[in-house]
Amino acid sequence: MNNFQYKNPTKILFGKGQIANLSQEIPQNAKVLLLYGGGSIKKNGVYDQVKEALNGVEVVEFGGIPANPEYEVLMEALAVIKSQNIDFLLAVGGGSVIDGTKFLAAAAQYDGDTPWELLTAGKPVAKGMPFGAVLTLPATGSEMNSNSVITRKETQEKLAMSGSGIFPVFSVLDPQVISSIPERQLANGIADAFTHVLEQYMTYPIGALLQDRMAESVLQTLLEVAPAILKDPTDYQAASNFMWSCTMALNGLLPLGVPTDWAVHAMGHELTAMYGIDHARTLAIMAPSHYRFNFEAKKEKLAQFAERVWGITQGSVDEKAHAAIDKTEAFFHELGIATKLSQYTDEFQGTAETIEKRFTDRGWLGLGEHQSLKPSDVAQIVTMAY
């Protein structure tokens, strides 16, 4: 097992009715900017719960953060933060709203020329305005980590940042909020969390027994609750396990002491930036091809995945590993998620070459757990996903 250091300062308020405790978490006399997305929180009752909980707190609102938080929209919110002398942010939404809020937290205290540099510089974000979150869509784990991914339409870029300065101070997780989420978004959330775990697990054995079994337990739980969630999102027990699995999938516990591989996300982000495809669906497009291309490097872990998660005990290492990839792709299909780029756009030709050039221009010359995946390899993987 590799050396590691770990600190996660985010306080979690989990369970029914926890939104009512918001006022106890907001600093006294704070001026709060309430950030949300397209307005669904006003239809499902979450907005009213939040406003009631913040009775007596000075609140300014900013809505309209899109599903892939867009830089230009966030710059409008940043102007509000500065003009209104905001000193605390509250994200009420899914991963996109929370990611956007993290960007704003960092941008509000950024001294450089343009906040976009926070994403292009590749440096950890050490300081940010304090913020909390009320999670409305389990998927990204953004409620308990310091990761943020932002899209810029004018350049068709989708870039990430992270750092100790942009952990939420607290996050409220009430599983009841998912009762009104459309099936497509629920399926996305399941696929997103599932792939988050794979990115931290599907590398090579390193003797981290507990880490492997923790990852496998999250995968097994997602597989178990997926049918119940899609059938009846008001099933509180299923919703609770789903929500907590999404958080555990990306709160920094699973990658401790082990190699990780975020190439699927890197490639998937480009598909979202270029074609506007849902983030989770880009992961489902790229993951099977990525594992097939890198089969030799990953087959030991793939075979372990087959045995422990899928219950495949017969066959050679190669046979079990291939079966695991097939099972994973079939699971995405069961969620109603297509796994080929051509099923999302007729303009897929040339995508591989565009992504290869982008990675080369950025200096992303070695992705994957061995940092050996060249831009030309990426092009082959994307082509396999057509």
Side-chain angles (χ1 to χ4, degrees), residues 19 39-50 92-93 135-137 176-182 185:
I19 293 175
S40 62
I41 64 168
K42 293 185 176 180
K43 299 174 184 176
N44 61 20
V46 173
Y47 175 84
D48 291 337
Q49 291 182 62
V50 169
V92 182
L135 181 66
T136 63
L137 175 60
Q176 294 177 115
V177 303
I178 77 162
S179 62
S180 61
I181 296 174
Q185 289 182 291

Tab-separated table of all heavy atoms in Angstrom, residues 19 39-50 92-93 135-137 176-182 185:
chain	number	residue	atom	x	y	z
A	19	ILE	N	-32.626	19.354	6.594
A	19	ILE	CA	-32.583	20.703	6.032
A	19	ILE	C	-32.998	21.736	7.081
A	19	ILE	O	-32.502	22.868	7.092
A	19	ILE	CB	-33.492	20.802	4.785
A	19	ILE	CG1	-32.922	19.934	3.653
A	19	ILE	CG2	-33.631	22.240	4.306
A	19	ILE	CD1	-33.803	19.851	2.419
A	39	GLY	N	-34.381	25.532	-11.327
A	39	GLY	CA	-35.629	25.839	-10.645
A	39	GLY	C	-36.409	24.648	-10.151
A	39	GLY	O	-37.505	24.807	-9.597
A	40	SER	N	-35.886	23.440	-10.308
A	40	SER	CA	-36.609	22.254	-9.854
A	40	SER	C	-36.819	22.273	-8.340
A	40	SER	O	-37.801	21.718	-7.839
A	40	SER	CB	-35.868	20.979	-10.258
A	40	SER	OG	-34.592	20.918	-9.654
A	41	ILE	N	-35.931	22.932	-7.609
A	41	ILE	CA	-36.081	22.975	-6.150
A	41	ILE	C	-37.333	23.745	-5.737
A	41	ILE	O	-37.823	23.585	-4.616
A	41	ILE	CB	-34.838	23.565	-5.452
A	41	ILE	CG1	-34.613	25.033	-5.844
A	41	ILE	CG2	-33.605	22.735	-5.730
A	41	ILE	CD1	-33.576	25.731	-4.974
A	42	LYS	N	-37.846	24.588	-6.644
A	42	LYS	CA	-39.073	25.328	-6.335
A	42	LYS	C	-40.321	24.477	-6.604
A	42	LYS	O	-41.407	24.811	-6.141
A	42	LYS	CB	-39.128	26.621	-7.142
A	42	LYS	CG	-38.051	27.619	-6.725
A	42	LYS	CD	-38.190	28.946	-7.447
A	42	LYS	CE	-37.155	29.951	-6.943
A	42	LYS	NZ	-37.243	31.264	-7.617
A	43	LYS	N	-40.127	23.380	-7.332
A	43	LYS	CA	-41.253	22.491	-7.627
A	43	LYS	C	-41.326	21.318	-6.652
A	43	LYS	O	-42.410	20.799	-6.403
A	43	LYS	CB	-41.117	21.951	-9.058
A	43	LYS	CG	-41.129	23.029	-10.131
A	43	LYS	CD	-40.846	22.437	-11.511
A	43	LYS	CE	-40.761	23.513	-12.575
A	43	LYS	NZ	-40.388	22.957	-13.902
A	44	ASN	N	-40.181	20.900	-6.135
A	44	ASN	CA	-40.185	19.705	-5.283
A	44	ASN	C	-40.205	20.012	-3.782
A	44	ASN	O	-40.122	19.106	-2.959
A	44	ASN	CB	-38.982	18.809	-5.612
A	44	ASN	CG	-37.641	19.503	-5.386
A	44	ASN	OD1	-37.538	20.484	-4.671
A	44	ASN	ND2	-36.602	18.976	-6.017
A	45	GLY	N	-40.303	21.287	-3.433
A	45	GLY	CA	-40.431	21.654	-2.032
A	45	GLY	C	-39.133	21.939	-1.312
A	45	GLY	O	-39.147	22.445	-0.178
A	46	VAL	N	-37.992	21.658	-1.948
A	46	VAL	CA	-36.701	21.870	-1.283
A	46	VAL	C	-36.446	23.357	-1.049
A	46	VAL	O	-35.967	23.763	0.016
A	46	VAL	CB	-35.555	21.240	-2.104
A	46	VAL	CG1	-34.197	21.605	-1.495
A	46	VAL	CG2	-35.712	19.730	-2.155
A	47	TYR	N	-36.778	24.176	-2.036
A	47	TYR	CA	-36.582	25.619	-1.900
A	47	TYR	C	-37.331	26.161	-0.679
A	47	TYR	O	-36.775	26.931	0.115
A	47	TYR	CB	-37.054	26.320	-3.169
A	47	TYR	CG	-37.022	27.834	-3.122
A	47	TYR	CD1	-35.850	28.533	-3.391
A	47	TYR	CD2	-38.171	28.562	-2.806
A	47	TYR	CE1	-35.822	29.923	-3.352
A	47	TYR	CE2	-38.153	29.945	-2.768
A	47	TYR	CZ	-36.978	30.630	-3.040
A	47	TYR	OH	-36.962	32.008	-2.987
A	48	ASP	N	-38.574	25.756	-0.531
A	48	ASP	CA	-39.373	26.230	0.607
A	48	ASP	C	-38.769	25.768	1.934
A	48	ASP	O	-38.755	26.534	2.901
A	48	ASP	CB	-40.813	25.719	0.487
A	48	ASP	CG	-41.572	26.375	-0.667
A	48	ASP	OD1	-41.177	27.480	-1.074
A	48	ASP	OD2	-42.548	25.767	-1.154
A	49	GLN	N	-38.280	24.541	1.963
A	49	GLN	CA	-37.650	24.039	3.193
A	49	GLN	C	-36.403	24.853	3.531
A	49	GLN	O	-36.171	25.185	4.704
A	49	GLN	CB	-37.263	22.568	3.024
A	49	GLN	CG	-38.424	21.603	2.934
A	49	GLN	CD	-37.927	20.175	2.814
A	49	GLN	OE1	-37.249	19.642	3.693
A	49	GLN	NE2	-38.250	19.537	1.691
A	50	VAL	N	-35.612	25.159	2.520
A	50	VAL	CA	-34.384	25.925	2.741
A	50	VAL	C	-34.706	27.338	3.215
A	50	VAL	O	-34.105	27.841	4.175
A	50	VAL	CB	-33.536	25.959	1.453
A	50	VAL	CG1	-32.382	26.971	1.586
A	50	VAL	CG2	-32.985	24.576	1.146
A	92	VAL	N	-27.626	24.744	-3.368
A	92	VAL	CA	-28.778	23.857	-3.216
A	92	VAL	C	-29.013	23.204	-4.570
A	92	VAL	O	-29.563	23.814	-5.491
A	92	VAL	CB	-30.032	24.621	-2.745
A	92	VAL	CG1	-31.193	23.656	-2.560
A	92	VAL	CG2	-29.748	25.350	-1.434
A	93	GLY	N	-28.558	21.975	-4.715
A	93	GLY	CA	-28.669	21.307	-5.996
A	93	GLY	C	-27.820	20.055	-6.045
A	93	GLY	O	-27.388	19.525	-5.019
A	135	LEU	N	-27.727	18.811	-0.829
A	135	LEU	CA	-27.679	17.934	-1.987
A	135	LEU	C	-29.085	17.540	-2.431
A	135	LEU	O	-29.891	17.075	-1.627
A	135	LEU	CB	-26.876	16.673	-1.651
A	135	LEU	CG	-26.710	15.656	-2.787
A	135	LEU	CD1	-25.867	16.240	-3.915
A	135	LEU	CD2	-26.075	14.369	-2.269
A	136	THR	N	-29.369	17.702	-3.711
A	136	THR	CA	-30.680	17.323	-4.244
A	136	THR	C	-30.607	16.193	-5.262
A	136	THR	O	-31.639	15.637	-5.621
A	136	THR	CB	-31.369	18.525	-4.910
A	136	THR	OG1	-30.578	18.959	-6.033
A	136	THR	CG2	-31.546	19.670	-3.928
A	137	LEU	N	-29.395	15.858	-5.737
A	137	LEU	CA	-29.242	14.796	-6.725
A	137	LEU	C	-27.959	14.018	-6.448
A	137	LEU	O	-26.867	14.487	-6.738
A	137	LEU	CB	-29.199	15.388	-8.139
A	137	LEU	CG	-28.917	14.414	-9.283
A	137	LEU	CD1	-29.984	13.327	-9.332
A	137	LEU	CD2	-28.837	15.141	-10.613
A	176	GLN	N	-34.863	11.892	1.115
A	176	GLN	CA	-36.227	12.125	0.642
A	176	GLN	C	-36.271	13.010	-0.603
A	176	GLN	O	-37.254	12.978	-1.357
A	176	GLN	CB	-37.066	12.773	1.747
A	176	GLN	CG	-37.290	11.858	2.949
A	176	GLN	CD	-38.055	12.560	4.054
A	176	GLN	OE1	-39.177	12.189	4.382
A	176	GLN	NE2	-37.445	13.579	4.621
A	177	VAL	N	-35.225	13.809	-0.830
A	177	VAL	CA	-35.263	14.753	-1.950
A	177	VAL	C	-35.260	14.056	-3.303
A	177	VAL	O	-35.640	14.657	-4.311
A	177	VAL	CB	-34.089	15.762	-1.896
A	177	VAL	CG1	-34.071	16.519	-0.588
A	177	VAL	CG2	-32.746	15.077	-2.131
A	178	ILE	N	-34.842	12.788	-3.361
A	178	ILE	CA	-34.740	12.145	-4.678
A	178	ILE	C	-36.087	11.651	-5.187
A	178	ILE	O	-36.182	11.191	-6.325
A	178	ILE	CB	-33.731	10.976	-4.677
A	178	ILE	CG1	-34.330	9.728	-4.021
A	178	ILE	CG2	-32.425	11.366	-4.028
A	178	ILE	CD1	-33.581	8.482	-4.383
A	179	SER	N	-37.128	11.759	-4.368
A	179	SER	CA	-38.430	11.198	-4.749
A	179	SER	C	-38.992	11.794	-6.039
A	179	SER	O	-39.771	11.144	-6.729
A	179	SER	CB	-39.439	11.375	-3.616
A	179	SER	OG	-39.653	12.748	-3.342
A	180	SER	N	-38.586	13.014	-6.362
A	180	SER	CA	-39.130	13.672	-7.552
A	180	SER	C	-38.127	13.752	-8.709
A	180	SER	O	-38.387	14.408	-9.712
A	180	SER	CB	-39.581	15.091	-7.196
A	180	SER	OG	-38.479	15.862	-6.737
A	181	ILE	N	-36.984	13.081	-8.575
A	181	ILE	CA	-35.962	13.138	-9.622
A	181	ILE	C	-36.376	12.252	-10.805
A	181	ILE	O	-36.762	11.092	-10.616
A	181	ILE	CB	-34.596	12.672	-9.075
A	181	ILE	CG1	-34.111	13.630	-7.986
A	181	ILE	CG2	-33.558	12.593	-10.196
A	181	ILE	CD1	-32.850	13.173	-7.284
A	182	PRO	N	-36.300	12.752	-12.036
A	182	PRO	CA	-36.644	11.942	-13.213
A	182	PRO	C	-35.748	10.707	-13.334
A	182	PRO	O	-34.591	10.721	-12.904
A	182	PRO	CB	-36.402	12.904	-14.381
A	182	PRO	CG	-36.488	14.270	-13.787
A	182	PRO	CD	-35.963	14.139	-12.395
A	185	GLN	N	-32.166	11.059	-14.734
A	185	GLN	CA	-31.161	11.606	-13.828
A	185	GLN	C	-30.764	10.614	-12.746
A	185	GLN	O	-29.607	10.580	-12.315
A	185	GLN	CB	-31.675	12.905	-13.207
A	185	GLN	CG	-31.751	14.059	-14.187
A	185	GLN	CD	-32.226	15.337	-13.526
A	185	GLN	OE1	-33.388	15.445	-13.137
A	185	GLN	NE2	-31.337	16.289	-13.403
